Amino acid sequence: MSTPITVAYGDGIGPEIMEAVLSVLREAEANISVDIIEIGERIYNKEWSHGISPNGWESIQRTKILLKSPTTTPQGKGHKSLNVALRKNLGLYANIRPCISYNPIIENKFDKFDVVVIRENEEDVYTGIEHRLTGDSYQCTKIITRSGSEKICRYAFEYAKKHNRKKVTCLTKDNIMKMTDGTFHAAFDHVAKNYSGIKAEHYIVDIGMAKVATEPENFDVIVTENLYGDILSDIVAQTSGSVGLAGSSNIGNEYAMFEAVHGSAPDIAGRNIANPSGLLNAAVHMLIYIGHAKTAKLIYDAWLKTLEDGVHTADLYKEGKSKQKVGTQKFAEAVINNLGKKPKVLSELLTSKDSKISQARSDYKQDYKVKKLVGSDITLAWDKSAALDQITQLFASHNLKIIVIYAKGLAIWPGSSNFLSDQITCRFIKNDEKQVVTNSDIINILTKFEENNFNVVKMDNLYLYDGKEGFFS
């Protein structure tokens, strides 16, 4: 019985490369049945803000597998990213991007390497929580959970174990973002203890990315947060010779989505010059995921043989090294003609019968007994001509005291400091240890600001968890 999959042609070069990939799948006799849906720009124009219709969602919910071409998110009008919507709604918490060197067939500066970037897919700044606070100030909220961090780190170690990989590297910026990135790093260390046969290491993300960009051969599996992983996976893909070669998997406990790493490239759409390799490799990942490893190997080996034959699309073509420059469909035809053949220089696809990773989990349990409200950070839109002592005098006798006033993280009171910002944050803290702070106390502060014509734009309550500060001071 064939495996049903949902196929989306996408925007820009999407329809061309998808048709090329489907032609290869047909000739390789992939045992799948295809349900085609429409997504992207035309759907946005029909007023579905995520770029996918109810019928599209129904198809994915039925097949649970989506092979997707790139899409374009229209600028403005409040349109939301389709990729982000798919990842969130389908619970696709893990993004897996293998990046392999195809040297010497496709030239790069680093000879041989084989790096897999595993990116957390649901959290971080990609939650899309943004606000305009004042005329000059905007904020983007970064969300990191301990449970989500443990789940993606466990997936990374399970991936390494199933694919006989020896090392997992974690990248964070916890020297600056001590609570959010610190949580991700702590989750990594916690999970790593259960995998004694796999080396675990951590780098601060800036030096870590620099090392990956200059010595990729020293890395194996890399696990990191959403934003860092997005940037890093493109860096490694480009290091391999072309970002157009890389496919990616988006995996959840129930659904899976497979796509190329690159975008919709509308500037070359309709010209039959796009490289379908990224989407073809995504289809190979899909076949492995649904248990059709034999067909996946047949296609991947034929693709490698095509590269070795010097049959290259324009992005890979090198005068004097490549033998034939071809368009999208001719490249697919070359892969089809090589079905059943094996590469001589590049490494064949190796798959394990036990390569599918079971549902990742988090064993995180509430790690505190007592949560206590102790104050609040209240942010105001601020007239630069106003004096800060207006605020401090207003709350001089209040049962919560102002201990510091910040502007963009810089303490500007007590003391004095020149600052350029149209927002300030006042930190209110209880006066003594025995004092009990309630939400009514915070409401009283907000009311007093309102009565005195101050414009409150944001509020963050401050808590102690078993006596430990749940805020950075």
Side-chain angles (χ1 to χ4, degrees):
M1 185 175 178
S2 61
T3 302
I5 67 167
T6 300
V7 166
Y9 276 67
D11 301 317
I13 62 172
E16 300 164 70
I17 61 174
M18 180 60 79
E19 193 53 51
V21 168
L22 291 178
S23 69
V24 175
L25 291 174
R26 284 192 294 267
E27 292 298 325
E29 298 182 351
N31 192 19
I32 58 175
S33 59
V34 172
D35 184 20
I36 297 174
I37 64 170
E38 188 178 23
I39 60 173
E41 284 187 299
R42 286 185 293 274
I43 299 299
Y44 283 114
N45 293 334
K46 293 177 183 176
E47 303 305 320
W48 282 297
S49 65
H50 286 296
I52 182 170
S53 71
N55 287 339
W57 285 118
E58 288 171 8
S59 175
I60 297 168
Q61 288 165 359
R62 178 177 57 82
T63 68
K64 304 191 184 308
I65 305 291
L66 173 62
L67 178 63
K68 171 187 164 295
S69 274
T71 54
T72 301
T73 303
Q75 297 297 309
K77 300 182 181 179
H79 291 302
K80 300 176 182 178
S81 166
L82 172 61
N83 270 5
V84 172
L86 287 166
R87 291 166 186 166
K88 287 183 181 180
N89 284 280
L90 302 177
L92 307 177
Y93 65 87
N95 179 270
I96 302 95
R97 296 190 179 183
C99 297
I100 301 169
S101 166
Y102 302 101
N103 203 52
I105 305 304
I106 305 299
E107 290 183 348
N108 65 59
K109 298 178 181 179
F110 303 102
D111 193 22
K112 292 290 184 181
F113 61 85
D114 183 354
V115 180
V116 177
V117 178
I118 296 181
R119 162 190 170 195
E120 198 288 319
N121 225 12
E122 297 180 295
E123 301 185 347
D124 201 1
V125 294
Y126 283 66
T127 56
I129 303 171
E130 293 188 285
H131 302 91
R132 183 174 185 173
L133 300 179
T134 65
D136 188 43
S137 301
Y138 303 77
Q139 75 168 12
C140 180
T141 303
K142 179 183 177 105
I143 302 292
I144 298 292
T145 66
R146 179 61 184 256
S147 57
S149 300
E150 283 190 10
K151 189 162 64 171
I152 192 65
C153 290
R154 194 174 305 280
Y155 187 96
F157 278 97
E158 282 295 315
Y159 184 98
K161 181 180 176 181
K162 295 280 187 179
H163 292 83
N164 198 30
R165 301 239 174 194
K166 305 301 181 186
K167 181 170 68 172
V168 179
T169 304
C170 175
L171 302 182
T172 71
K173 191 66 177 174
D174 62 342
N175 59 331
I176 302 298
M177 288 167 278
K178 300 179 187 297
M179 300 194 73
T180 50
D181 285 34
T183 292
F184 194 95
H185 189 177
F188 175 80
D189 289 344
H190 172 75
V191 171
K193 294 175 183 177
N194 298 313
Y195 297 87
S196 57
I198 300 171
K199 182 179 179 181
E201 66 180 10
H202 172 268
Y203 285 109
I204 297 299
V205 66
D206 40 15
I207 187 61
M209 283 199 187
K211 284 181 174 290
V212 175
T214 54
E215 47 190 78
E217 69 278 4
N218 291 333
F219 292 85
D220 197 349
V221 175
I222 302 173
V223 63
T224 189
E225 298 165 31
N226 208 335
L227 176 61
Y228 308 146
D230 193 4
I231 297 168
L232 178 66
S233 53
D234 278 3
I235 291 173
V236 183
Q238 189 63 31
T239 300
S240 71
S242 171
V243 73
L245 300 177
S248 75
S249 309
N250 298 271
I251 306 297
N253 287 338
E254 187 175 0
Y255 298 93
M257 176 174 72
F258 302 87
E259 59 186 344
V261 169
H262 58 75
S264 60
D267 55 319
I268 63 170
R271 296 169 57 188
N272 190 36
I273 62 174
N275 188 346
S277 295
L279 188 59
L280 184 63
N281 276 319
V284 168
H285 301 163
M286 178 193 72
L287 290 170
I288 294 171
Y289 178 85
I290 62 178
H292 300 179
K294 186 176 179 180
T295 308
K297 178 174 173 55
L298 177 71
I299 293 172
Y300 188 77
D301 289 350
W303 176 72
L304 293 179
K305 181 66 168 60
T306 304
L307 295 182
E308 288 186 354
D309 289 345
V311 179
H312 298 157
T313 47
D315 59 318
L316 300 179
Y317 185 83
K318 299 287 185 184
E319 195 71 45
K321 187 172 180 66
S322 302
K323 294 180 181 178
Q324 185 181 2
K325 183 190 288 187
V326 296
T328 309
Q329 280 300 326
K330 287 292 184 183
F331 184 84
E333 290 171 13
V335 174
I336 290 168
N337 291 335
N338 279 325
L339 289 171
K341 300 177 184 178
K342 296 183 181 298
K344 296 179 180 179
V345 177
L346 300 174
S347 299
E348 297 179 39
L349 180 66
L350 298 176
T351 61
S352 167
K353 292 181 179 179
D354 189 31
S355 62
K356 189 170 181 179
I357 298 170
S358 59
Q359 295 183 1
R361 70 186 195 285
S362 167
D363 57 11
Y364 169 75
K365 296 182 177 62
Q366 183 170 298
D367 59 354
Y368 65 91
K369 294 180 180 179
V370 179
K371 176 183 175 182
K372 183 183 295 185
L373 178 64
V374 295
S376 186
D377 281 346
I378 297 178
T379 301
L380 310 174
W382 189 244
D383 179 355
K384 298 179 180 64
S385 65
L388 296 177
D389 58 14
Q390 288 180 271
I391 297 175
T392 56
Q393 290 171 10
L394 184 63
F395 292 95
S397 60
H398 197 270
N399 62 340
L400 294 180
K401 60 183 177 182
I402 298 178
I403 62 168
V404 67
I405 299 177
Y406 296 102
K408 294 191 289 189
L410 172 69
I412 59 173
W413 182 92
S416 61
S417 175
N418 294 324
F419 68 100
L420 294 175
S421 178
D422 67 347
Q423 63 158 299
I424 60 171
T425 300
C426 306
R427 174 159 290 180
F428 290 83
I429 292 288
K430 65 181 183 176
N431 284 294
D432 59 66
E433 289 297 318
K434 295 180 180 180
Q435 182 181 353
V436 176
V437 180
T438 67
N439 285 323
S440 295
D441 295 316
I442 310 301
I443 292 170
N444 288 338
I445 294 173
L446 298 176
T447 301
K448 200 161 192 176
F449 273 129
E450 177 71 19
E451 291 172 347
N452 287 272
N453 297 317
F454 288 98
N455 183 10
V456 175
V457 296
K458 184 171 179 283
M459 180 191 76
D460 297 286
N461 283 349
L462 310 177
Y463 295 93
L464 298 182
Y465 294 82
D466 289 343
K468 184 179 179 180
E469 290 181 352
F471 50 93
F472 190 65
S473 57

